Amino acid sequence: MKKAFTLLLTIILTTVMLSGCTGSSGSSKSTTEKTTVENTAPTTPSPKPSKPVTLRFWQAGGDTAGASEKMSELINKFTEKYPNITVEYQAISWAEDPHAKFQAAIVGNDIADLLIVGSPFDFVLANSDQIISLDKYIDDTFKNDLQFVNECTYTGKNEKLKGKLISVPLFGDARTIVYNKDLFQKAGVPEPTTSWTHEEFYNNAAALTKKIDGVQVYGFGTSARYASQYLPFVWNLGGEILNEDMTKSTVNTPSWKAAIEYYKKFFDNNITPPGSVNLNLADIQKMFANGEVAMFVTTQDYVKELMKDPAMKDKIGVGQMPHEQKQTAFAGADVFVIPVLSKNPDEAAQLLRFLVSTDNQVDYCKTVGFIPSLKSAASNPAFTEDPIKKVFTQAVSYGKYYVKTEKSNTITTILRGEIQSAVSNQKTIDKALQDIDTAINDALKQ
């Protein structure tokens, strides 16, 4: 119980950062959907439970249009195959703070048998010893077909789980450049169909910053509030947040300084919209839809929503992230975990394996708009030939994940305030990086 209360404190502090690692899902659906799927199909081959089992399955998010409906459809197929299992499925939108709800359920000893959470919340649960290793349910064939598998292997301080597979992704995604083709054409700027250098990215964003058809256009829509917006520039220059064993900050380095100096130039030279130091990503997305922002960095689900607008559909292009020494993109995933308190872990694993099968991955991700977690599914023409999806699939191939540690949220909070201070000239970059370094190291010692 002590670990559960420790988890409560952790989640109170981590909710904002961890909700919807894969994208824009934090702003949409506000209702909870609950579907109870009854077993109606014929009996199927083993493995199957010897007596009826009711399996509770909760999904954090599922906000994207059609996501919870598609999940319910797949669950119906599962219960047709395994008629002794009844699945009670509940999708909890990001706006309802699902991670906090899961924590409360753990404290109340009433957690579901199977969860989908936003990574790195799986590490938070593992640190608190609230989830089990999935190794015994994962054979080599399945593991070799999994993308993002390194991100699901635990590397924290819980010795019982160290080196174990603690989660399996439902899907992954990476943020990449989305741009307005019309504005690029009118500004005489080539589209980013191949990766630009940092210098090319800056120069083209500057060339796009002008009045076009009487509307003031800003070349690069971004916000210093979000690490996802500037970390790729840091990573591209070789910077990291922590050292390899996650015990020390590595922020106060020349790589970080060069990256933040580069990022700050967009603000200093008004290439970003006014107030970009504090803007919400949703505001930037609205400005893009209004033709006030020429390009920004976002996720596939938002592009899917934009494409529904007939006025925007043919104007939207998706490009590759810029590069320097490296090319990276901010990646994320929603992942399955099985709680220690699960009453039916074997059946939960059975449902997990069913949902993370090639055909079901293709079916789900075609509807929802992310990248399948299985290579065999991601190689489907639906993802490799679609002009939008194939670019996001490429971005995933060089995607890089946020640092996974029990201090992830604390680090996010530290970065947010200090980078905003540096970009807005309240501190020098040197001072901000020094303060970040000190604050992170202090946090790691606690």
Side-chain angles (χ1 to χ4, degrees):
M1 187 59 73
K2 181 180 178 182
K3 289 179 178 176
F5 281 113
T6 301
L7 177 62
L8 170 61
L9 293 173
T10 303
I11 291 175
I12 289 172
L13 293 170
T14 59
T15 298
V16 173
M17 177 261 167
L18 296 174
S19 62
C21 290
T22 45
S24 60
S25 48
S27 61
S28 55
K29 188 186 292 183
S30 60
T31 59
T32 299
E33 296 187 23
K34 184 172 182 178
T35 304
T36 300
V37 183
E38 299 295 341
N39 300 331
T40 56
T43 302
T44 55
S46 59
K48 61 183 180 179
S50 58
K51 58 183 180 181
V53 168
T54 297
L55 189 67
R56 294 196 300 163
F57 169 33
W58 296 349
Q59 179 177 12
D63 300 59
T64 304
S68 59
E69 291 82 2
K70 176 56 68 177
M71 183 62 79
S72 294
E73 183 184 318
L74 294 176
I75 291 170
N76 271 323
K77 291 181 180 178
F78 174 78
T79 54
E80 287 174 2
K81 187 174 183 180
Y82 302 103
N84 264 3
I85 302 177
T86 298
V87 179
E88 292 183 349
Y89 166 58
Q90 190 170 4
I92 304 171
S93 73
W94 292 114
E96 293 181 274
D97 200 352
H99 291 166
K101 289 179 181 288
F102 295 172
Q103 173 275 326
I106 290 172
V107 174
N109 195 20
D110 190 33
I111 191 67
D113 299 291
L114 178 66
L115 305 176
I116 292 176
V117 302
S119 179
F121 190 63
D122 50 341
F123 267 55
V124 174
L125 292 171
N127 286 333
S128 302
D129 205 19
Q130 295 298 331
I131 55 177
I132 65 172
S133 164
L134 302 180
D135 282 347
K136 72 174 183 178
Y137 299 114
I138 307 299
D139 56 62
D140 287 343
T141 300
F142 181 78
K143 195 169 184 177
N144 289 336
D145 198 19
L146 269 178
Q147 303 193 93
F148 329 113
V149 67
N150 289 341
E151 302 302 323
C152 299
T153 302
Y154 182 71
T155 56
K157 296 178 180 176
N158 184 347
E159 292 296 333
K160 191 164 68 178
L161 292 175
K162 190 167 286 187
K164 307 281 188 183
L165 195 70
I166 58 169
S167 56
V168 169
L170 171 63
F171 56 74
D173 201 17
R175 295 175 183 270
T176 194
I177 295 173
V178 176
Y179 61 95
N180 184 317
K181 294 179 183 178
D182 272 8
L183 295 179
F184 271 64
Q185 184 179 19
K186 290 174 180 176
V189 174
E191 297 179 20
T193 51
T194 58
S195 173
W196 292 332
T197 64
H198 282 193
E199 183 179 5
E200 290 170 333
F201 181 74
Y202 176 85
N203 289 337
N204 286 325
L208 286 157
T209 303
K210 61 172 71 175
K211 281 198 172 182
I212 299 178
D213 296 336
V215 176
Q216 177 60 50
V217 174
Y218 298 93
F220 181 31
T222 188
S223 171
R225 288 185 62 184
Y226 304 95
S228 63
Q229 296 293 296
Y230 55 80
L231 272 180
F233 301 124
V234 175
W235 291 332
N236 288 350
L237 291 170
E240 297 286 351
I241 296 174
L242 297 179
N243 61 355
E244 193 170 347
D245 59 2
M246 305 278 185
T247 57
K248 187 177 179 182
S249 168
T250 55
V251 170
N252 192 16
T253 62
S255 297
W256 266 86
K257 183 177 181 180
I260 301 305
E261 285 177 340
Y262 169 78
Y263 185 64
K264 185 172 181 292
K265 280 202 306 179
F266 292 93
F267 296 77
D268 290 345
N269 297 323
N270 301 315
I271 295 170
T272 61
S276 287
V277 171
N278 297 303
L279 277 180
N280 290 314
L281 289 179
D283 295 327
I284 297 168
Q285 291 165 351
K286 287 178 185 174
M287 295 184 75
F288 178 81
N290 292 335
E292 300 168 87
V293 162
M295 61 178 169
F296 70 123
V297 176
T298 192
T299 49
Q300 189 177 167
D301 56 335
Y302 180 67
V303 176
K304 187 177 175 65
E305 289 301 308
L306 271 177
M307 297 290 282
K308 293 178 181 177
D309 181 355
M312 285 297 297
K313 183 177 179 181
D314 295 329
K315 297 180 181 177
I316 298 172
V318 181
Q320 296 295 330
M321 287 295 287
H323 70 278
E324 202 64 24
Q325 300 167 15
K326 302 177 182 178
Q327 183 184 17
T328 63
F330 192 93
D334 282 7
V335 300
F336 290 94
V337 296
I338 298 179
V340 168
L341 296 175
S342 172
K343 295 178 176 61
N344 303 290
D346 292 345
E347 289 76 16
Q350 207 164 350
L351 176 58
L352 182 163
R353 287 295 305 269
F354 179 84
L355 294 173
V356 189
S357 62
T358 301
D359 289 346
N360 290 334
Q361 280 272 289
V362 171
D363 195 10
Y364 185 84
C365 291
K366 278 172 63 179
T367 300
V368 178
F370 293 115
I371 304 300
S373 61
L374 292 182
K375 298 169 191 170
S376 56
S379 63
N380 185 284
F383 302 97
T384 59
E385 296 180 6
D386 181 280
I388 301 296
K389 292 182 184 296
K390 72 178 183 182
V391 182
F392 277 99
T393 301
Q394 284 178 277
V396 166
S397 70
Y398 54 79
K400 185 173 171 65
Y401 285 75
Y402 191 69
V403 62
K404 284 194 169 190
T405 163
E406 65 268 32
K407 301 297 182 183
S408 292
N409 174 70
T410 303
I411 292 170
T412 299
T413 303
I414 294 167
L415 288 175
R416 175 174 296 172
E418 295 295 340
I419 297 301
Q420 284 180 308
S421 294
V423 169
S424 60
N425 296 313
Q426 295 178 38
K427 283 187 179 181
T428 65
I429 293 175
D430 284 334
K431 175 62 175 166
L433 296 182
Q434 288 171 10
D435 289 349
I436 291 170
D437 215 44
T438 300
I440 289 179
N441 284 330
D442 287 347
L444 292 173
K445 292 174 185 173
Q446 294 174 7

